[in-house]
Amino acid sequence: MMLRLALAALIALSLLTLPAQAHQDPEIAGYIQVDGGKVWYRLNGREHLGKRPAIIVMHGGPGGTHRGNMPYVALADEFPVILYDQLGTGNSERPNNPENWRVERFVAEIDHIRAALGLDDVIIAGHSWGGTLAAEYAVRNPEGLKAAILSSPLISTRQWIADNQEWIDQLPPETAATIRKHEAEGTTNHPDYRAAEAAFYARHMCRTEGCRNSRYRVDGPNWNPVMYETMWGPTEFFAPGTLKDYDISPQLPTVKVPTLMICGEYDEAAPKSCRRFAGMIPNAKTVIVPGAGHATMGDNEEFYMMALRIFLKGLNE
């Protein structure tokens, strides 16, 4: 199934061109009250409200912003698309209360958004940590949920770290040794460690030059590094934070809706694990974005978006 979907995406790319990046300015924007404060949201595709399921997109981090998910706005030609900043980061309120930094509270934000905007039918999508929230929401099988898109998701911290240790093993020996030395000694702010981190990210975060400075991020709001380090850790591959024991994989078999698992060929969310996790979901497809690291949309946006469109089109077949 994965190969068929990937092949279909490649064929479609050869025959079609993506529409111009339309609807970049939000048609509706504002704040919604959630537990602990207010979150900022933006909506495009308002003409499809009540006619097609709304796509709610969760950003990564924890502590990231909606800007990394801006390519999803192109789907507003067919669906309502809602992007938002989670409480404590981006344009949302920042109470800076670690009591808010709990998985359950972040998942509840989705319920508040649905209620405030009157969204009966939804498709949830999330990248990285946002994929965690999408998975958490999907295993609940709430009324009106039509599909889930798990984009390079954190499903199991233990598996994530194990996979990234394998990626580290493939770095030059001195770079791998530097990473492990400073993690063991608790000196992850050392310049040598940060240089080794950059070498890792060049292979497994963003493999395309200029990806981090994409047009979507230039005017983006500030992220929250304190939230990131508290919940996760100092780097993508070292996680001593509050998510260190996180694992939702045992609940994946309960997901009832069609699900797309999509990740990069060199992703921190390693393809072999994404395939295995997708295999736990009864109705899931897997797509691997060729040549991409964890920043799948930045590395290969056209392939990524076409894969999404093929998946979404298949929901009606």
Side-chain angles (χ1 to χ4, degrees):
M1 185 64 72
M2 178 199 75
L3 292 175
R4 290 205 304 272
L5 188 58
L7 180 60
L10 286 169
I11 293 171
L13 276 170
S14 69
L15 297 176
L16 302 172
T17 57
L18 285 169
Q21 290 292 338
H23 308 297
Q24 293 304 315
D25 294 327
E27 296 167 19
I28 302 173
Y31 289 87
I32 293 172
Q33 182 69 46
V34 301
D35 300 331
K38 293 180 180 179
V39 298
W40 179 90
Y41 78 96
R42 52 170 291 159
L43 184 149
N44 292 88
R46 64 187 302 175
E47 67 272 24
H48 305 301
L49 284 169
K51 304 173 185 176
R52 305 292 299 276
I55 302 174
I56 304 176
V57 192
M58 284 77 77
H59 62 70
T65 78
H66 74 282
R67 297 299 297 185
N69 289 329
M70 282 294 291
Y72 274 82
V73 178
L75 299 175
D77 62 350
E78 298 183 74
F79 297 88
V81 177
I82 295 107
L83 277 62
Y84 70 99
D85 290 328
Q86 294 154 25
L87 185 68
T89 192
N91 290 321
S92 293
E93 289 185 348
R94 298 192 181 212
N96 287 325
N97 181 0
E99 288 296 316
N100 290 324
W101 301 347
R102 296 175 290 105
V103 173
E104 297 81 5
R105 198 212 56 78
F106 284 110
V107 176
E109 290 180 351
I110 305 168
D111 293 321
H112 288 292
I113 290 169
R114 288 187 66 179
L117 301 181
L119 305 177
D120 293 329
D121 295 334
V122 297
I123 297 166
I124 52 166
H127 183 75
S128 193
W129 152 252
T132 304
L133 301 180
E136 287 276 349
Y137 198 72
V139 300
R140 290 169 43 184
N141 293 299
E143 185 176 354
L145 179 62
K146 300 302 180 182
I149 299 169
L150 307 182
S151 175
S152 305
L154 168 68
I155 297 296
S156 161
T157 300
R158 181 177 179 180
Q159 187 61 58
W160 181 287
I161 296 303
D163 290 338
N164 282 278
Q165 290 302 311
E166 291 186 15
W167 288 135
I168 289 171
D169 287 340
Q170 297 178 29
L171 294 171
E174 63 275 14
T175 304
T178 297
I179 289 173
R180 292 184 170 125
K181 172 181 181 293
H182 288 289
E183 288 178 354
E185 295 176 357
T187 52
T188 53
N189 284 324
H190 193 283
D192 290 347
Y193 181 83
R194 291 305 179 184
E197 173 192 29
F200 178 93
Y201 289 163
R203 292 190 182 197
H204 302 293
M205 172 60 81
C206 180
R207 296 169 55 85
T208 305
E209 186 177 356
C211 172
R212 283 178 171 270
N213 297 317
S214 74
R215 62 189 180 279
Y216 300 120
R217 293 182 180 274
V218 171
D219 61 345
N222 293 328
W223 71 302
N224 190 332
V226 177
M227 183 190 297
Y228 177 82
E229 290 208 22
T230 299
M231 295 186 68
W232 185 252
T235 67
E236 296 284 292
F237 46 81
F238 183 43
T242 57
L243 290 170
K244 63 183 178 182
D245 297 318
Y246 180 80
D247 188 355
I248 197 175
S249 61
Q251 299 179 57
L252 293 180
T254 67
V255 176
K256 296 179 181 179
V257 296
T259 300
L260 174 65
M261 180 77 71
I262 182 167
C263 67
E265 181 180 1
Y266 301 96
D267 208 320
E268 296 164 359
K272 66 177 182 179
S273 292
C274 286
R275 290 190 189 99
R276 182 168 68 86
F277 291 139
M280 298 177 183
I281 300 171
N283 186 10
K285 299 177 175 68
T286 303
V287 170
I288 307 301
V289 182
H294 192 51
T296 47
M297 286 172 269
D299 273 336
N300 197 339
E301 182 178 335
E302 286 191 349
F303 184 98
Y304 184 97
M305 294 305 299
M306 190 59 70
L308 262 59
R309 287 188 182 275
I310 291 170
F311 171 73
L312 293 169
K313 184 176 184 294
L315 297 177
N316 296 321
E317 295 178 350

